[in-house]
């Protein structure tokens, strides 16, 4: 079973992501901020990380940078809620494997996760 | 502020606007699509409440954005009147408690010289007090008692709200793109502290944030009514 780490400070957003991915057969672990996400990523056997771009504390880009240092092979899907796709492009420049702009289709999220862990 | 500073601030605000609207919209869209594709009693039970909460966030974001844009374009108007700060705080405490499901209580410490009268626009004053109280309610754990103090200084009335939340970045607390992460996911628009600042400054008052041993303290000053 694909084990996915979801790092997002919005509990309702984490819930939507969990429902979408569990429906697709994945196991989901949630982190409510970047710090907790990094701690979980260090110790957990995750196949992929879903990471929010805009969070308090260490934000998405900082978390991504840390993940790349410790777990360079771990695929990261960045979620952005900015008005333009600029941050999506930045997410890829920072080293994310894919990005998805909010609002997104849960089915599309599940499809991207499947393609990244294949 | 130079035009470059102004356009940078505008760009930051627009980016923030995108975030504050798209994040709750993602929850609405997510639940709607999941409901459409899946017949799950647990999902059917939880989705309406989550969608309503997201819709409240969108409404709050739009209201705050209207205040911010009106303030920044000089279109925010006000009709000052002599108002009882004590009465408005009492009324707002009841409204906020009802809205947040009585999750936390408010203890109001009044000025020892008696009820405080301010010179303010009634609608704006109500928004200022509600923003302060809701911010504290969102930041505090369930069953908390938020301390609200009303007092006079020589020139101003002051509303001080002490919560039991995590420490805040006091320099950025009232900035549009930084101060409000702690409010997200709990009904906050993310712009409410900036909108609060706009409303307070319109009255010639000031906002302030600080940390103490128990949590954070947010306060606003407003002009006292003439005696």
């Amino acid at each position: 079973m694909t084990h996915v780490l979801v790092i997002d400070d919005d509990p309702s957003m984490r819930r939507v992501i969990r429902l979408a991915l569990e429906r697709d057969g994945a196991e989901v672990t949630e982190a409510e901020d970047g710090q907790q996400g990094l701690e979980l990523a260090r110790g957990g056997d995750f196949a992929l990380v879903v990471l929010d771009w805009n969070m308090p504390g260490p934000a998405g880009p900082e978390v991504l940078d840390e993940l790349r240092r410790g777990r360079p092979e771990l695929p990261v899907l960045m979620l952005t809620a900015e008005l333009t796709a600029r941050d999506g492009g930045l997410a890829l420049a920072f080293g994310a494997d894919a990005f998805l702009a909010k609002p997104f289709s849960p089915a599309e999220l599940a499809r991207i996760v499947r393609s990244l862990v294949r | 502020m130079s035009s470059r500073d102004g356009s940078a601030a505008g760009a930051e605000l627009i980016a923030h606007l995108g975030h504050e609207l798209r994040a709750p919209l993602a929850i609405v869209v997510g639940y709607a699509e999941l409901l459409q594709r899946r017949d799950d009693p647990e999902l059917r039970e939880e989705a309406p409440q989550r969608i309503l909460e997201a819709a409240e966030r969108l409404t709050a974001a739009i209201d705050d954005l209207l205040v911010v844009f009106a303030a920044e374009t000089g279109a925010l108007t006000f009709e000052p009147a002599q108002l009882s700060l004590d009465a408005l705080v009492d009324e707002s405490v009841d409204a906020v408690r009802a809205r947040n499901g009585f999750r936390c209580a408010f203890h109001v410490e009044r000025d020892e010289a008696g009820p405080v009268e301010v010179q303010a626009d009634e609608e704006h004053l109500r928004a200022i007090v509600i923003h302060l109280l809701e911010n504290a309610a969102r930041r505090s754990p369930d069953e908390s008692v938020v301390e609200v103090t009303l007092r006079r200084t020589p020139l101003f009335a002051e509303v001080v709200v002490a919560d039991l939340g995590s420490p805040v970045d006091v320099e950025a607390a009232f900035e549009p793109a930084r101060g409000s992460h702690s409010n997200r996911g709990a009904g906050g628009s993310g712009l409410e502290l900036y909108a609060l600042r706009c409303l307070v400054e319109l009255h010639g008052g000031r906002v302030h944030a600080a940390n103490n041993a128990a949590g954070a303290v947010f306060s606003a000053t407003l002009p006292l009514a003439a005696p």
Side-chain angles (χ1 to χ4, degrees):
Chain A
M1 184 182 280
T2 303
H3 192 182
V4 177
L5 174 61
V6 176
I7 309 174
D8 194 313
D9 63 312
D10 186 331
S12 293
M13 196 68 255
R14 292 199 304 271
R15 178 70 177 153
V16 167
I17 296 167
R18 172 186 283 281
L19 290 167
L21 297 182
E22 285 183 345
R23 180 178 180 275
D24 212 50
E27 181 186 355
V28 172
T29 296
E30 298 178 26
E32 64 183 25
D33 58 37
Q35 193 57 46
Q36 188 186 21
L38 284 169
E39 286 162 14
L40 286 167
R42 282 188 202 108
D45 184 21
F46 298 104
L48 180 135
V49 175
V50 176
L51 175 63
D52 186 31
W53 173 269
N54 191 335
M55 289 186 295
E62 295 163 77
V63 175
L64 179 58
D65 191 45
E66 279 295 311
L67 285 171
R68 284 287 168 257
R69 289 171 203 267
R71 299 281 306 274
E73 79 294 348
L74 189 61
V76 175
L77 166 59
M78 187 78 90
L79 301 179
T80 77
E82 315 308 321
L83 195 60
T84 70
R86 185 178 64 97
D87 290 310
L90 277 177
L92 297 182
F94 270 93
D97 295 273
F99 75 91
L100 197 52
K102 296 178 183 177
F104 54 82
S105 152
E108 177 69 359
L109 171 77
R111 189 193 66 72
I112 293 175
V113 167
R114 276 199 307 278
S115 72
L116 287 175
V117 298
R118 191 175 292 152
Chain B
M1 181 185 281
S2 71
S3 61
R4 192 171 171 209
D5 289 340
S7 65
E12 190 176 27
L13 191 59
I14 287 169
H16 193 63
L17 179 156
H19 183 273
E20 296 312 322
L21 297 180
R22 283 171 178 262
L25 195 56
I27 292 156
V28 174
V29 170
Y31 271 106
E33 186 183 307
L34 287 165
L35 280 169
Q36 199 175 37
R37 290 165 165 262
R38 177 174 164 182
D39 187 20
D40 178 333
E42 189 187 354
L43 181 61
R44 277 206 310 274
E45 189 173 327
E46 75 174 57
Q49 185 58 33
R50 299 268 188 170
I51 289 171
L52 283 172
E53 287 168 2
E56 281 177 14
R57 282 170 63 186
L58 280 168
T59 305
I62 290 164
D63 287 348
D64 288 337
L65 282 165
L66 289 174
V67 167
V68 167
F69 278 112
E72 296 204 345
T73 55
L76 192 60
T77 58
F78 72 131
E79 294 177 20
Q82 186 165 331
L83 301 167
S84 164
L85 186 59
D86 290 69
L88 214 136
V89 165
D90 290 342
E91 177 192 310
S92 302
V93 161
D94 291 342
V96 171
R97 289 202 74 208
R99 203 180 302 176
N100 78 3
F102 300 93
R103 280 198 314 105
C104 68
F106 295 89
H107 173 252
V108 182
E109 189 74 30
R110 299 174 197 280
D111 190 278
E112 57 190 23
V116 180
E117 300 270 315
V118 294
Q119 192 71 15
D121 179 289
E122 185 171 0
E123 189 182 332
H124 294 335
L125 179 62
R126 183 173 286 106
I128 288 165
V129 173
I130 285 181
H131 274 54
L132 280 169
L133 299 180
E134 286 194 330
N135 178 59
R138 277 189 291 267
R139 288 177 33 79
S140 300
D142 287 359
E143 315 294 327
S144 299
V145 178
V146 170
E147 294 291 337
V148 182
T149 305
L150 309 182
R151 61 189 176 211
R152 290 179 179 81
T153 66
L155 291 177
F156 287 95
E158 192 172 21
V159 187
V160 183
V161 181
D163 64 44
L164 299 173
S166 54
V168 291
D169 178 350
V170 296
E171 298 299 323
F174 294 98
E175 295 300 320
R178 284 177 256 168
S180 305
H181 277 293
S182 57
N183 294 326
R184 202 182 311 153
S189 76
L191 266 184
E192 57 279 319
L193 293 180
Y194 186 49
L196 166 69
R197 179 180 135 197
C198 291
L199 289 171
V200 170
E201 290 180 351
L202 180 72
H203 288 77
R206 290 286 177 268
V207 289
H208 186 255
N211 294 307
N212 65 17
V217 181
F218 292 83
S219 60
T221 58
L222 292 158
L224 282 167

